[in-house]
Amino acid sequence: QVQLVESGGGSVQAGGSLRLSCAASGNTYRTYCMGWFRQAPGKEREGVAAIDSDGSTSYADSVKGRFTISKGKNTLYLLMNSLKPEDTAMYYCAADYRFHCGLVVGEFGYWGQGTQVTVSS
């Protein structure tokens, strides 16, 4: 199993930037893919960005060109630039023991508790 803990959320004005981090612990020696998801009040959880074991990345259309996902040693990052009020949500880190993951909630078996991002206009 793998445990995930997010950090870096907060409040920012539109146009600002934030960097989220996700620390992974446990059985991290196995090959795994990771991703970021978000959920706004009253809406379903949606995929934001994912990174495969080989470093290949994928992004939701709504964040392409603004968000960048990257992975260090047992840590996942999400750099968010040009933030918009519609980016306001709880952001979750997720992982699974497979080579490739898409932006699909059901493909991830391990989840963090989330970190809140609020963007004001």
Side-chain angles (χ1 to χ4, degrees):
Q1 290 192 354
V2 62
Q3 293 78 45
L4 305 170
V5 179
E6 303 97 334
S7 62
S11 297
V12 65
Q13 289 190 329
S17 299
L18 282 173
R19 190 179 80 157
L20 305 183
S21 298
C22 172
S25 60
N27 291 335
T28 58
Y29 65 91
R30 292 176 59 183
T31 298
Y32 58 101
C33 58
M34 300 187 77
W36 288 99
F37 290 76
R38 66 187 181 187
Q39 187 167 18
K43 294 188 176 181
E44 292 187 354
R45 192 169 298 190
E46 64 176 1
V48 175
I51 186 165
D52 291 345
S53 306
D54 67 353
S56 300
T57 59
S58 57
Y59 296 91
D61 288 343
S62 59
V63 306
K64 280 181 182 177
R66 299 189 299 122
F67 290 11
T68 303
I69 188 172
S70 61
K71 189 165 66 171
K73 182 175 174 62
N74 296 333
T75 303
L76 182 71
Y77 302 100
L78 185 68
L79 176 61
M80 305 185 294
N81 294 321
S82 302
L83 282 161
K84 304 175 181 180
E86 50 263 45
D87 294 319
T88 295
M90 184 71 78
Y91 282 72
Y92 297 90
C93 172
D96 202 79
Y97 291 122
R98 62 178 70 192
F99 182 82
H100 168 74
C101 288
L103 299 176
V104 179
V105 171
E107 291 187 353
F108 291 84
Y110 301 96
W111 293 84
Q113 294 300 306
T115 185
Q116 178 68 38
V117 172
T118 302
V119 184
S120 58
S121 58

